[in-house]
Amino acid sequence: MAKVEKGNGINEEVQVVAFKLRKEEYGFNILSVQEIKGLTDITRVPFTPDFIKGVINLRGSVLPVIDLKKRLGLQDTSYTESTRIVVVKIDDISVGMIVDAVTEVLSIDASHIDTAKSVSDNESTRFINGIGNIDARLIIMLNIDEIVGAPGESK
Amino acid sequence: MDTNQYMEMFLEESREHLQSLNDGLLALENNPEDLSVVNEIFRNAHTLKGMSATMGYNRIAELTHEMENVLDLLRKEQLKMNETIIDILFKCVDSLEQMIENVGNGDAEDLVDVSELVRQLNAISSGNPVADKSAAETPPATAGPGNTIVLTDTDRSVIEKAQLSGLQAMHIKVRLADSCLLKSARAYMVMNALDELGDAVKAAPPVEDLEQEKFERSFEVILLTAVEEKVVEDALMSISEIDQVEIEVLEKKEHKETPAAKKESMHAPEAISKNVSEAPKKQAANSANHEKKIHAGQSVRVDIEKLDTLMNLMGELVINKVRLEQIGTTHRLADLTETLEQMDRVTTDLQSVVMKVRMVPVGQVFNRFPRMIRDLAKELDKEINLTIEGEETELDRTVIDEIGDPLMHLLRNSLDHGVEHPKDREAKGKPRTGEVGLIARHEGNNVVIMVTDDGNGINADVIRKKAVEKGMISQEEADNMDDGDAVRLVFLPGFSTADEITDVSGRGVGMDVVRSKIESLGGHVDVETKIDEGSVFKIKLPLTLAIIQALLVKVQEEMYAIPLGSIDSTINITLDDIKTVQNKEVIVLRGQIIPIIRLGDVLNVPKVDKAENEDIFVVIVHLGDRKAGIVVDNLIGQQEIVIKTLGKLLVGLKIISGATVLGDGRVALILDVGALM
């Protein structure tokens, strides 16, 4: 079973915030998502890896923002009206993730989530927890821990 | 029982009690006869014992129990205070401190071996012939001396008066359940319940002590009431965690049988009226005293993070206000502008209040030094008088947390290198006791903390020689250096003048650490000295780290903030003014050669506008004595900015020390001038 949830119950459901990156659909476990906000001014921060887009002002506090496409090694596309920043929180660290569009909140039965290994074996699977399958619609479940990375890694 | 949730409280309070123990012992050392201090210390030890026993830390409880025994004898004057006892008590406090820190770190309390101390204390308390052993060994656990009500004549007459007017006087003993953690709260509920039923005239221990949990499991109250015994009992038993309530109705004659009271009441009516009139006065005085006490202690502990959040929200409010103002001006809405003016006043006040909330008196750091100085003076065999001034000066909490170590270094240095041995001092015609001062005061928008001594002073020539020997400067540089600059060399890394390396200082670490610490706090340290007259180390700190004045500059399309504290001036030059020296760009300003830093290049700012400006703005910054010019595209203006961290994800960035949110809601990064240079 996938690492997403315990997954031992038969009707275990995972709530997922689904969003688009290019043509594909991805998802974060809703428990990690704090809020979704529109694109605002992003201040570039020098001396950071290129996937760190910069920082934004989130109600008076400063929030780092990751360009998710860059982080996952996807091809860049320009920002549009539907571009959103999904604010996630993991171990006390809040981070914004830029996505092309947020589609909906879904419930996926845990038994419908396959491990990433069954799809691909390459390096980028470290960012992927599993793949949810709802009526042939595939949602790639992301591992936020890996994406945010240890603070040291992103220096 | 799950005591985890009380851990934080336990630690905080224990530290407070340890601090007062330390203070008390110091006071006692200077004035061993002062019984009120002994009492104070006794109460501290006692509370500490109670708290640690509740939390299940038996070693701490054991040690405090033994301390209490000794202190009890002292306060009963069955034992005379002497230096050995004081020293042992100080050691006890040290061990307690360590144990409590261990506990706080999640370690076992018994990492510290206290058996020797316990044995010594035991020897003191039992070895004294005058000591009443049984009294010493069974302290308040059963019923402390303060726990039984002793009625004074005044009390008696109050009771009698009440009885005459038909009220009953009851002697109530309340025992709290062993598991009760919030004893003071329960005691408070009991007192409240009693107040509703009648008039609680006397309590043992006194009400103040009850409120501060300075009692064991039980306490006693005298209640004057019109209701029946049973009613009182039911009311009290309905409060949870009350183990037992014993009520004894005091008979009227019981008092009248007292010959003195009888005599007074029969033959000296004036005396009664005098007594009666005195009683309320006394009570009034007591309650006034009481209120004052409560007022002084009326504070709330707040997590610093909450204050940070408050500050963030405050910032957001200000930003939104600015936006509204812009809307008001653009659309010429007079009503809105007027309302916003009002709002502006409120937000300004609010902001200053929020800032003040974060301020803490430096006394919090200073109060640990008298003890350290005492120990150090003993160790070094010197006589030192420490004067502390301006403890009430307030600094931002974050600064307070960081300033302790640098101050400790400076004080150690003053004691070790500054103040001479008593013999040497006499030879120089100075008083034997060396004066060391720790002074804090406001100076404009800064707080200045000075560490002064009347010792040796620093010999500039010795420093010059050392620095040359160590290869830190050349002989030529040394010769050209004035004395002030030479003395400042002590702040360089790896500098130590003590020929003999002592345990206290002189390991060559210290002064440079002091300097870098203080500079990291946005402050500055300097020294003034005169041979044989002493030295003054002067630390200048910003009032707060949370809000600073900064100059906003623009590089291409990016905005950066440079702290005003490190800015000398700004100048406007043309491209031709930039010269090169060994391939490094410099400018010449008033005869001084200043290296320049092109901010856009250092920060890899993407070039939007390719055309090179003919007019160049240069911000001249300084760090200590060094200067540099930062080349920017535009100067936006000076502004008060609220410093925010970039968060855990972006820690350890060079050159960028933080960020701030500007009036238009955008984020600007704050430059670390030190790292830039």
Side-chain angles (χ1 to χ4, degrees):
Chain A
M1 203 77 279
K3 300 177 268 177
V4 182
E5 281 289 288
K6 284 152 245 152
N8 43 6
I10 302 193
N11 280 324
E12 195 94 26
E13 289 209 323
V14 182
Q15 295 249 314
V16 173
V17 175
F19 54 86
K20 284 204 154 171
L21 294 178
R22 296 181 63 84
K23 301 253 161 76
E24 293 167 334
E25 213 166 349
Y26 290 77
F28 284 140
N29 189 322
I30 201 166
L31 296 177
S32 316
V33 176
Q34 279 189 311
E35 62 179 286
I36 296 163
K37 63 182 271 141
L39 203 58
T40 53
D41 279 321
I42 301 177
T43 303
R44 183 188 73 96
V45 181
F47 317 112
T48 50
D50 66 341
F51 65 84
I52 295 199
K53 195 70 193 168
V55 287
I56 59 163
N57 163 25
L58 181 73
R59 282 188 304 286
S61 59
V62 175
L63 182 86
V65 176
I66 288 176
D67 187 318
L68 203 49
K69 273 178 288 184
K70 276 221 177 79
R71 183 61 169 153
L72 299 180
L74 301 176
Q75 210 184 354
D76 220 358
T77 45
S78 56
Y79 298 147
T80 65
E81 273 292 295
S82 55
T83 301
R84 293 286 179 275
I85 297 175
V86 181
V87 181
V88 297
K89 186 171 189 177
I90 193 118
D91 300 337
D92 267 6
I93 302 180
S94 289
V95 185
M97 306 269 187
I98 302 176
V99 302
D100 286 344
V102 172
T103 42
E104 62 184 312
V105 176
L106 294 168
S107 287
I108 305 181
D109 197 302
S111 64
H112 290 151
I113 300 177
D114 291 329
T115 51
K117 286 276 179 300
S118 58
V119 186
S120 156
D121 240 358
N122 77 23
E123 154 71 358
S124 68
T125 55
R126 74 184 170 110
F127 295 129
I128 298 172
N129 263 347
I131 294 171
N133 184 346
I134 305 177
D135 307 330
R137 182 172 157 199
L138 297 181
I139 313 265
I140 303 165
M141 297 293 299
L142 292 173
N143 180 345
I144 302 177
D145 274 299
E146 279 294 333
I147 290 171
V148 173
E153 193 194 330
S154 57
K155 256 184 222 175
Chain B
M1 186 192 352
D2 179 27
T3 43
N4 256 346
Q5 51 176 318
Y6 299 102
M7 190 64 173
E8 217 29 51
M9 207 158 76
F10 168 71
L11 289 175
E12 288 245 8
E13 288 188 9
S14 305
R15 286 185 194 123
E16 262 167 36
H17 285 294
L18 284 174
Q19 184 60 47
S20 11
L21 271 175
N22 248 329
D23 293 347
L25 284 173
L26 281 172
L28 206 57
E29 193 172 36
N30 293 329
N31 190 2
E33 305 296 313
D34 193 345
L35 280 183
S36 67
V37 179
V38 181
N39 271 320
E40 180 66 39
I41 299 177
F42 177 82
R43 274 199 295 274
N44 281 318
H46 184 67
T47 315
L48 210 52
K49 177 179 107 177
M51 289 194 318
S52 47
T54 315
M55 297 292 289
Y57 299 126
N58 296 327
R59 287 295 177 89
I60 300 176
E62 187 190 357
L63 185 56
T64 40
H65 177 75
E66 293 298 335
M67 283 173 76
E68 205 182 278
N69 284 349
V70 172
L71 289 165
D72 196 37
L73 294 177
L74 287 168
R75 70 178 190 156
K76 287 183 183 151
E77 301 192 66
Q78 287 165 343
L79 191 64
K80 268 222 102 24
M81 184 55 96
N82 62 37
E83 208 171 310
T84 341
I85 298 181
I86 290 247
D87 275 343
I88 290 174
L89 288 175
F90 266 129
K91 275 186 200 143
C92 290
V93 175
D94 288 345
S95 303
L96 285 173
E97 219 166 276
Q98 228 172 333
M99 285 196 275
I100 284 165
E101 286 319 308
N102 284 348
V103 167
N105 294 334
D107 297 333
E109 45 163 347
D110 46 15
L111 287 179
V112 184
D113 185 18
V114 293
S115 51
E116 177 60 22
L117 282 171
V118 169
R119 201 188 55 72
Q120 284 175 329
L121 287 169
N122 225 325
I124 296 171
S125 56
S126 57
N128 196 306
V130 226
D132 179 350
K133 243 188 156 183
S134 63
E137 274 167 15
T138 51
T142 50
N147 258 9
T148 347
I149 290 192
V150 182
L151 291 176
T152 61
D153 284 353
T154 332
D155 295 330
R156 284 209 183 86
S157 67
V158 170
I159 292 170
E160 262 170 51
K161 186 119 197 276
Q163 281 170 336
L164 285 175
S165 57
L167 296 176
Q168 285 202 70
M170 293 180 192
H171 182 180
I172 304 168
K173 286 186 193 169
V174 181
R175 221 185 102 82
L176 300 177
D178 287 339
S179 60
C180 176
L181 281 174
L182 298 163
K183 293 192 293 176
S184 61
R186 297 298 169 212
Y188 176 77
M189 288 167 77
V190 168
M191 296 311 280
N192 243 359
L194 291 180
D195 276 344
E196 273 172 26
L197 295 171
D199 195 6
V201 286
K202 178 123 181 160
V207 183
E208 296 97 283
D209 286 358
L210 288 178
E211 280 173 2
Q212 292 171 23
E213 246 172 62
K214 288 178 182 163
F215 67 105
E216 291 281 317
R217 293 273 159 233
S218 57
F219 57 94
E220 300 175 22
V221 185
I222 298 275
L223 178 74
L224 300 179
T225 176
V227 302
E228 291 294 314
E229 231 178 300
K230 185 77 182 114
V231 181
V232 178
E233 189 174 342
D234 287 348
L236 293 185
M237 288 310 281
S238 70
I239 299 168
S240 52
E241 292 189 302
I242 300 286
D243 204 28
Q244 197 183 15
V245 176
E246 272 177 51
I247 300 181
E248 182 196 343
V249 178
L250 299 177
E251 298 300 328
K252 283 184 199 176
K253 56 185 180 204
E254 192 187 303
H255 298 291
K256 294 206 168 158
E257 268 169 11
T258 322
K262 196 175 175 184
K263 216 172 165 187
E264 258 182 272
S265 62
M266 300 301 274
H267 303 294
E270 311 97 317
I272 290 187
S273 63
K274 192 177 145 217
N275 267 345
V276 172
S277 68
E278 237 173 35
K281 233 194 270 166
K282 223 180 193 174
Q283 268 182 339
N286 259 342
S287 67
N289 214 336
H290 190 168
E291 266 167 33
K292 198 175 147 207
K293 246 189 201 163
I294 288 181
H295 184 74
Q298 219 169 40
S299 60
V300 184
R301 279 181 218 282
V302 183
D303 192 334
I304 190 91
E305 269 178 36
K306 284 191 187 151
L307 294 181
D308 286 343
T309 317
L310 192 60
M311 186 90 134
N312 280 344
L313 293 175
M314 185 63 228
E316 190 70 1
L317 188 64
V318 171
I319 290 159
N320 283 314
K321 189 203 68 192
V322 174
R323 279 186 200 154
L324 280 177
E325 274 169 358
Q326 279 164 357
I327 294 171
T329 354
T330 345
H331 298 279
R332 293 167 199 261
L333 302 168
D335 285 356
L336 180 62
T337 320
E338 243 168 63
T339 320
L340 281 173
E341 267 169 28
Q342 300 253 8
M343 193 180 147
D344 188 46
R345 275 193 286 278
V346 179
T347 46
T348 314
D349 286 353
L350 194 58
Q351 193 168 7
S352 75
V353 170
V354 172
M355 287 311 303
K356 272 187 201 143
V357 168
R358 295 172 54 93
M359 304 290 260
V360 186
V362 284
Q364 280 201 4
V365 186
F366 284 8
N367 61 18
R368 66 165 123 144
F369 292 128
R371 171 69 202 280
M372 186 202 91
I373 297 288
R374 168 203 177 266
D375 288 358
L376 207 55
K378 273 206 161 166
E379 195 181 309
L380 296 168
D381 209 9
K382 291 179 180 174
E383 288 170 29
I384 306 287
N385 179 31
L386 176 71
T387 318
I388 292 182
E389 274 174 43
E391 304 104 301
E392 71 290 341
T393 314
E394 289 189 326
L395 268 172
D396 193 277
R397 175 65 200 245
T398 31
V399 184
I400 291 277
D401 289 345
E402 300 287 327
I403 194 70
D405 286 346
L407 284 179
M408 179 138 70
H409 267 300
L410 290 178
L411 283 168
R412 277 169 169 264
N413 252 305
S414 290
L415 251 69
D416 199 17
H417 305 314
V419 177
E420 313 89 332
H421 276 282
K423 261 187 266 158
D424 300 337
R425 290 181 64 90
E426 276 181 341
K428 286 180 185 172
K430 292 182 182 179
R432 281 177 65 88
T433 306
E435 294 290 336
V436 172
L438 183 58
I439 300 154
R441 63 159 183 258
H442 283 283
E443 230 171 60
N445 228 351
N446 294 295
V447 166
V448 170
I449 301 177
M450 289 192 287
V451 175
T452 64
D453 67 70
D454 66 344
N456 272 325
I458 303 171
N459 188 332
D461 290 331
V462 175
I463 304 281
R464 278 195 192 94
K465 209 174 123 221
K466 281 266 163 161
V468 173
E469 268 172 31
K470 288 184 190 244
M472 300 167 101
I473 54 168
S474 67
Q475 187 62 48
E476 198 189 343
E477 279 176 300
D479 292 340
N480 290 330
M481 210 173 253
D482 67 35
D483 283 2
D485 285 342
V487 170
R488 276 182 209 109
L489 289 172
V490 296
F491 291 116
L492 290 181
F495 197 94
S496 173
T497 51
D499 292 321
E500 195 185 326
I501 288 173
T502 67
D503 193 30
V504 181
S505 53
R507 271 159 298 191
V509 289
M511 285 314 216
D512 62 313
V513 176
V514 168
R515 175 181 172 159
S516 58
K517 184 98 224 175
I518 286 164
E519 283 179 356
S520 77
L521 292 174
H524 179 73
V525 58
D526 201 6
V527 55
E528 276 169 37
T529 184
K530 246 189 188 158
I531 291 175
D532 281 344
E533 280 180 29
S535 318
V536 178
F537 284 89
K538 196 168 167 187
I539 298 173
K540 212 170 179 183
L541 289 165
L543 264 187
T544 167
L545 284 188
I547 290 190
I548 58 165
Q549 288 282 337
L551 179 71
L552 293 179
V553 299
K554 216 167 175 186
V555 182
Q556 302 286 343
E557 287 305 303
E558 294 184 358
M559 193 94 88
Y560 291 92
I562 305 174
L564 214 59
S566 42
I567 296 179
D568 258 9
S569 57
T570 56
I571 52 168
N572 198 346
I573 58 168
T574 59
L575 262 184
D576 302 337
D577 291 327
I578 299 178
K579 313 265 187 292
T580 56
V581 172
Q582 291 178 326
N583 270 334
K584 289 200 179 112
E585 290 184 306
V586 297
I587 52 170
V588 180
L589 182 69
R590 277 172 249 123
Q592 206 177 353
I593 296 171
I594 297 172
I596 63 165
I597 301 161
R598 287 177 185 262
L599 199 56
D601 296 346
V602 176
L603 301 178
N604 305 315
V605 180
K607 284 215 166 110
V608 185
D609 184 10
K610 297 266 193 259
E612 189 127 22
N613 274 339
E614 257 305 296
D615 271 343
I616 298 175
F617 290 101
V618 181
V619 181
I620 308 291
V621 294
H622 64 88
L623 179 76
D625 293 334
R626 285 191 299 148
K627 281 187 182 164
I630 300 177
V631 177
V632 299
D633 291 339
N634 221 334
L635 304 177
I636 305 301
Q638 183 184 330
Q639 197 179 315
E640 214 165 52
I641 59 167
V642 180
I643 302 183
K644 322 243 170 186
T645 63
L646 284 170
K648 284 185 190 158
L649 188 66
L650 301 175
V651 286
L653 284 182
K654 281 190 175 155
I655 303 187
I656 306 297
S657 67
T660 186
V661 178
L662 300 175
D664 61 359
R666 280 194 296 165
V667 178
L669 301 176
I670 303 166
L671 297 178
D672 178 352
V673 170
L676 252 182
M677 294 164 79

